[in-house]
Amino acid sequence: MSYSEEGKKYEADCELLDSLRNHALNQTTSDSFGLENLSIYFNQLTFLGSRFPLNLNFHIGWFPIFRPKQKPEIISNLNYEKCCVLYRIAGMYSELGCSQNSVSTEGTRKACQYFQNAAGCLSYIQSDILPDLRAKAPQDFELIDPLVSLMMAQAHECIWQKAVMEHMKHGTVARLAVKVSDLYDAFLSNIHKKIIPDYWSRYVEAKSNFFQAFAQYQKANEAISNGRYGEEIARLRLAKTSNTIALLHMKVLHPSFADQVTALDQSIDRDLIRAEKDNDLVYMETVPEPSQLAPILRSDMVKPSIPSFVTHPNYWLVLADRPNDDLYIKRPLFDKLVPLAVHQAISVFADKKDYIIKEDIVGKNLELNADKQKCLDEIKLPYALDVIDALPTNLVNHAEEVQHEGGIQSLHDMLFKIQTMSNKTLSLIEEGFNALEEENEQDATLSRQYGKLWNRPPSRTLTHNLLTLGTQYNDTVQAAQKADRIVQAKVNNWGKAIAMLSRPVTEIKAHLPSLPYDDEYYTTIHDLLENLRSRLGLLETSCDERNQLEAEAKALAQNDDISEALLLKANELTKGSPVIKLEPEQFAAEFNQYLQAYKQIQDKILGYVDIQNDLLQSITDLHGQLSLLTANKITLIKREKAISNLESAFTKFKEIRTNLVEGIKFYSHYTDTISQFRDDCQEFAIARKLEATELARDANPSRLLLLKK
């Protein structure tokens, strides 16, 4: 997408964004502003998404979570950066949750909120960002659902921890514990074994079984409180089975959690020995099968919580200034740039506007002009009128062009120039031949005088090539002169007509046959001519007015600017929030308001349809009447024939002039070539003459004087 703004205006914002990214992505939970810096960068990305299209023309790369040594995953989409940053924020929330003091009520409360925020960030990625990624999501994003379950399990674990610390009822604690177990199970059932490290799976499996065991243990305590001794034993046995599985993973467990698993196992063993002994000796209740036990109800106490900075990215703009922090920018970067939604709406408006102009205004005007021209061409107007009492416009233009180019006299002048150049070329060829002939005769005379003493090759053997070339030149000039005679014949044949075109238009008109005044239909014919020309004038006037409307629409479109109105509407709809998505259809009212001016011009154009149709019908009817009156007028037939001959004469004038121009070009070039031939012949003769002088001196010095003579 192209923005009609100077890119240099935003170079500083580009550099700030890059610095923000580098700074934010190096944050850790040890930095008190770490989470805030990440959230600010995420908010800047959100604002960026309201200014630019998602598919940016640069590559965004992130390393896989559990495979940092692999090549980074690269996608050219702004939402990919947002997904990864929010993924990282979720990870930081998770770290903060794990770092809280789990033995204090306040620490447990904070941890619970952090885990819910982590789950909220991951859920937001899944529901609001990934659908607009417009590319196949990397494998890490397949972990979102199981990671949400993991975060919710840990949040629920905090609620369970608080319930234990507050010594809530056994049934309540059991319901909380079994929900924690369910959530850990959900993580295990959805994970991709090849992505998640093995110790993660083992740790979560231990947690799931521990909380299942704890839930059964609490239900066992509830059962004995209510005198259900058989149920107590059944649930203790289930608790023992689950906790035994947790004990298998002791090597990967955190020491504090390992202690809980061990303590629970000891409690189960102690209570199970006591319960079985009491039941055998005293109560003797039947121990139910696990399938006969009532399922433990679940208490769902937490849910994913999306942090406020995600849904309300403006919040950080009002935060207190942070000292010595140049990167804390209290404004959205690229805030002066037109929002993407407005830019898209401007583009949609431009398309609507262009369609009305091209199709409904320009297109309709072209259609009317084509209809008009088709009708006039069919009845040969205005030519059919001009041949009766005037000169057709084309003929007037042709006459003016002939006169501008010198008329018939220019053709005669060019013919004379060609003839002169032609004669010169022949004389040059003749001069060359004469030089060779004179030298040949002298060579023959000296050869007879000196006999055997004259030991050089005869001229005829040396001048063969020159003589052949000269003959070719002569043939070419003869052929050119033949073509010149053809052109001369054209001038002779069309000279009178061309001469007429060379005269002023008034003289041409006066020369043509015209309808006599005493013709019985003279007045009627001229009245019809005047009426037709009047309607043709009205037709041209309406055409000019339509063209003016078309120009008005184009000028309006060139200066039309809807951006301010769309910006106001966008701010009204979003209240300044970049999270609220806008569609071009939401600006329909503004589109209609601004398009009204074009629709008014369109209506005016349509108003000319009936006007033109009435005029064309009237013109056609009047032309039919005129044709009936002039059909067999001998004078008008002769006049039209004469005009046709003058049109043909113009064509011949252009043809002849082209021939003459080409002839002059030919002779100009050929004269140089033949001049060179003449010079070569003369130089050969002079060289042979000097050579003959030397030979004669060597053969008989006493005859040198005779040779010079």
Side-chain angles (χ1 to χ4, degrees):
M1 180 171 288
S2 176
Y3 290 84
S4 56
E5 294 193 47
E6 179 59 49
K8 291 183 178 179
K9 290 165 51 179
Y10 300 98
E11 286 182 352
D13 280 14
C14 289
E15 292 174 0
L16 281 170
L17 183 67
D18 194 45
S19 298
L20 271 177
R21 185 181 199 269
N22 293 332
H23 181 68
L25 299 189
N26 289 321
Q27 300 302 300
T28 64
T29 53
S30 61
D31 186 343
S32 60
F33 291 121
L35 186 61
E36 186 174 303
N37 288 335
L38 270 170
S39 68
I40 289 173
Y41 177 57
F42 179 81
N43 290 154
Q44 287 290 0
L45 292 175
T46 301
F47 282 112
L48 203 66
S50 70
R51 293 299 190 268
F52 293 98
L54 294 176
N55 292 324
L56 297 171
N57 192 26
F58 59 84
H59 299 309
I60 299 171
W62 284 75
F63 288 100
I65 296 175
F66 297 110
R67 294 155 292 156
K69 294 183 179 180
Q70 287 192 8
K71 292 182 178 179
E73 301 276 1
I74 295 176
I75 299 177
S76 298
N77 188 290
L78 184 62
N79 270 345
Y80 180 52
E81 178 79 352
K82 289 182 67 178
C83 284
C84 293
V85 171
L86 202 54
Y87 220 133
R88 183 171 175 79
I89 291 173
M92 187 169 283
Y93 272 124
S94 176
E95 288 181 45
L96 288 170
C98 292
S99 65
Q100 300 304 305
N101 184 358
S102 61
V103 298
S104 72
T105 302
E106 181 60 21
T108 304
R109 185 193 65 77
K110 285 184 178 180
C112 181
Q113 186 58 52
Y114 286 140
F115 288 128
Q116 290 179 88
N117 286 341
C121 290
L122 294 169
S123 298
Y124 190 82
I125 293 173
Q126 187 83 294
S127 61
D128 286 57
I129 308 181
L130 278 183
D132 285 333
L133 190 59
R134 301 175 187 177
K136 183 180 179 181
Q139 202 172 34
D140 284 345
F141 292 94
E142 297 176 10
L143 295 174
I144 286 181
D145 284 337
L147 286 177
V148 168
S149 298
L150 182 60
M151 296 302 108
M152 295 307 295
Q154 293 178 98
H156 227 290
E157 187 175 340
C158 294
I159 302 296
W160 166 83
Q161 181 72 31
K162 185 172 181 293
V164 170
M165 288 189 298
E166 294 177 357
H167 304 289
M168 290 186 177
K169 293 180 179 180
H170 298 302
T172 301
V173 175
R175 288 195 295 273
L176 292 172
V178 78
K179 181 63 179 180
V180 176
S181 177
D182 289 347
L183 290 168
Y184 279 124
D185 273 342
F187 171 80
L188 290 171
S189 62
N190 288 326
I191 61 170
H192 196 303
K193 296 292 185 181
K194 293 182 180 179
I195 301 178
I196 294 292
D198 180 62
Y199 71 89
W200 274 49
S201 302
R202 295 174 62 192
Y203 201 101
V204 171
E205 187 175 359
K207 283 251 183 180
S208 175
N209 282 280
F210 168 78
F211 281 102
Q212 184 67 35
F214 198 94
Q216 294 294 348
Y217 181 73
Q218 290 295 313
K219 289 298 286 185
N221 288 334
E222 183 184 59
I224 192 174
S225 298
N226 294 322
R228 299 191 298 271
Y229 306 108
E231 180 183 342
E232 178 197 12
I233 295 171
R235 291 193 182 277
L236 286 172
R237 289 174 179 173
L238 288 174
K240 179 62 178 179
T241 301
S242 295
N243 206 56
T244 300
I245 297 174
L247 287 169
L248 295 175
H249 304 292
M250 290 293 283
K251 290 183 179 180
V252 300
L253 302 183
H254 189 275
S256 61
F257 179 54
D259 291 344
Q260 290 183 10
V261 175
T262 302
L264 178 61
D265 196 62
Q266 292 172 354
S267 296
I268 294 171
D269 287 344
R270 182 186 65 247
D271 288 357
L272 186 58
I273 292 171
R274 187 258 317 151
E276 287 178 340
K277 180 180 179 181
D278 288 350
N279 192 54
D280 289 342
L281 296 175
V282 180
Y283 307 114
M284 293 180 290
E285 284 190 7
T286 301
V287 178
E289 294 295 326
S291 60
Q292 294 175 316
L293 294 173
I296 302 174
L297 299 177
R298 271 71 173 165
S299 290
D300 197 349
M301 303 297 291
V302 296
K303 62 180 179 179
S305 177
I306 301 173
S308 59
F309 75 83
V310 175
T311 53
H312 300 89
N314 293 332
Y315 92 99
W316 59 272
L317 294 176
V318 297
L319 292 177
D321 290 337
R322 294 184 347 205
N324 303 320
D325 191 347
D326 295 334
L327 289 177
Y328 187 59
I329 309 150
K330 295 188 68 173
R331 67 172 179 86
L333 297 176
F334 304 95
D335 54 340
K336 303 300 182 185
L337 192 64
V338 175
L340 176 62
V342 174
H343 193 82
Q344 291 172 328
I346 291 173
S347 179
V348 171
F349 172 75
D351 290 342
K352 291 178 179 290
K353 179 177 64 177
D354 289 346
Y355 182 86
I356 291 176
I357 291 174
K358 291 178 181 178
E359 300 298 327
D360 299 334
I361 295 176
V362 176
K364 191 62 180 179
N365 193 29
L366 288 172
E367 180 185 333
L368 288 172
N369 286 339
D371 291 343
K372 179 201 78 170
Q373 197 57 47
K374 180 182 178 183
C375 180
L376 296 182
D377 288 344
E378 287 175 353
I379 55 180
K380 298 181 180 179
L381 292 182
Y383 177 85
L385 307 184
D386 293 337
V387 295
I388 296 176
D389 66 342
L391 291 181
T393 302
N394 280 347
L395 183 58
V396 172
N397 294 336
H398 293 163
E400 290 175 351
E401 185 176 344
V402 169
Q403 294 162 30
H404 177 73
E405 293 183 353
I408 188 66
Q409 186 59 46
S410 68
L411 301 186
H412 289 310
D413 292 344
M414 293 170 79
L415 274 172
F416 179 76
K417 184 175 182 178
I418 285 176
Q419 186 176 3
T420 301
M421 297 175 78
S422 174
N423 292 337
K424 182 179 180 180
T425 55
L426 287 178
S427 66
L428 289 172
I429 294 172
E430 186 175 355
E431 288 176 16
F433 280 154
N434 289 342
L436 294 179
E437 185 59 32
E438 181 182 345
E439 193 282 325
N440 181 62
E441 291 177 357
Q442 185 184 63
D443 181 65
T445 300
L446 292 173
S447 179
R448 287 193 298 272
Q449 288 178 354
Y450 289 97
K452 293 182 179 180
L453 294 176
W454 198 252
N455 59 350
R456 72 171 182 172
S459 295
R460 289 297 184 189
T461 61
L462 300 176
T463 59
H464 175 74
N465 290 340
L466 283 173
L467 290 171
T468 301
L469 189 61
T471 301
Q472 292 175 353
Y473 289 156
N474 185 70
D475 292 344
T476 300
V477 174
Q478 293 295 336
Q481 287 184 332
K482 183 178 180 181
D484 296 341
R485 289 191 289 273
I486 294 174
V487 176
Q488 177 68 63
K490 292 180 183 179
V491 174
N492 294 338
N493 293 335
W494 290 93
K496 290 183 179 180
I498 294 174
M500 179 56 65
L501 284 176
S502 305
R503 298 166 68 178
V505 172
T506 53
E507 293 185 22
I508 297 174
K509 183 178 177 182
H511 176 76
L512 296 173
S514 59
L515 189 69
Y517 291 105
D518 57 357
D519 187 277
E520 60 179 320
Y521 296 116
Y522 180 87
T523 302
T524 305
I525 289 173
H526 279 272
D527 287 345
L528 286 170
L529 289 172
E530 183 178 349
N531 208 347
L532 276 165
R533 287 191 173 114
S534 174
R535 280 164 170 71
L536 286 173
L538 292 173
L539 195 62
E540 288 304 315
T541 299
S542 68
C543 181
D544 291 341
E545 290 172 354
R546 290 199 316 273
N547 292 339
Q548 181 61 36
L549 286 171
E550 178 182 318
E552 182 182 333
K554 290 178 178 177
L556 178 62
Q558 188 172 2
N559 300 314
D560 200 4
D561 187 2
I562 196 177
S563 57
E564 286 298 325
L566 295 181
L567 279 171
L568 289 173
K569 183 64 175 179
N571 289 333
E572 177 188 331
L573 293 170
T574 64
K575 295 179 174 57
S577 172
V579 177
I580 299 175
K581 295 181 180 180
L582 295 176
E583 298 296 336
E585 292 76 13
Q586 293 174 273
F587 299 94
E590 284 68 28
F591 292 165
N592 291 333
Q593 179 183 347
Y594 274 75
L595 292 175
Q596 193 59 40
Y598 301 97
K599 291 179 179 177
Q600 290 175 359
I601 296 175
Q602 176 191 353
D603 292 340
K604 290 179 181 179
I605 293 280
L606 291 174
Y608 282 95
V609 174
D610 291 339
I611 294 173
Q612 175 166 297
N613 289 339
D614 292 343
L615 281 172
L616 290 176
Q617 186 59 53
S618 174
I619 289 169
T620 302
D621 293 342
L622 289 172
H623 176 264
Q625 297 175 33
L626 181 65
S627 298
L628 289 174
L629 294 177
T630 59
N632 297 314
K633 299 293 183 182
I634 301 301
T635 303
L636 296 181
I637 293 173
K638 290 181 179 180
R639 181 185 179 90
E640 187 172 358
K641 178 63 178 175
I643 289 173
S644 177
N645 288 339
L646 289 175
E647 291 282 7
S648 299
F650 171 75
T651 303
K652 284 297 177 181
F653 173 81
K654 299 293 288 182
E655 178 186 319
I656 293 169
R657 197 172 190 284
T658 300
N659 295 152
L660 293 174
V661 169
E662 291 175 352
I664 291 172
K665 288 181 180 178
F666 166 77
Y667 283 117
S668 295
H669 171 73
Y670 221 58
T671 297
D672 294 339
T673 302
I674 295 176
S675 294
Q676 185 62 49
F677 165 75
R678 187 271 315 271
D679 293 344
D680 290 345
C681 292
Q682 290 178 345
E683 289 174 4
F684 173 80
I686 291 171
R688 289 280 288 183
K689 192 170 184 178
L690 291 173
E691 183 185 43
T693 302
E694 294 296 327
L695 288 174
R697 181 187 297 115
D698 294 341
N700 189 353
S702 63
R703 295 185 180 182
L704 182 58
L705 181 60
L706 183 63
L707 180 62
K708 289 182 178 179
K709 294 181 180 179

